[in-house]
Amino acid sequence: YTIGANLAGLPAASIPCGFVDENGRQLPVGLQIIGPHFAEARLLNVAHQYQRLTSWHTRVPPGYE
């Protein structure tokens, strides 16, 4: 579901934000953030701040090491 932002010409980023248990398997979940037109710098800053405050980008689900 990430194509909508591209079609609208909006800046967007998908960043890791957790895992979901699906039939006994841990699958990664992404958080999509979308910004207004010409707000790429603000969007990247939000993604960077989220990365600094969390450790989701360093985690790997069991079985994918």
Side-chain angles (χ1 to χ4, degrees):
Y1 298 110
T2 59
I3 190 110
N6 293 336
L7 292 174
L10 299 171
S14 181
I15 54 179
C17 70
F19 298 103
V20 64
D21 186 37
E22 183 68 30
N23 297 326
R25 292 176 41 203
Q26 291 285 316
L27 299 176
V29 175
L31 168 70
Q32 184 180 21
I33 52 176
I34 302 173
H37 289 285
F38 307 110
E40 289 86 356
R42 185 172 14 160
L43 179 95
L44 291 173
N45 187 31
V46 168
H48 177 69
Q49 295 304 319
Y50 183 83
Q51 180 180 348
R52 288 184 63 227
L53 294 173
T54 67
S55 64
W56 291 115
H57 63 284
T58 63
R59 298 185 190 176
V60 178
Y64 289 90
E65 288 91 15

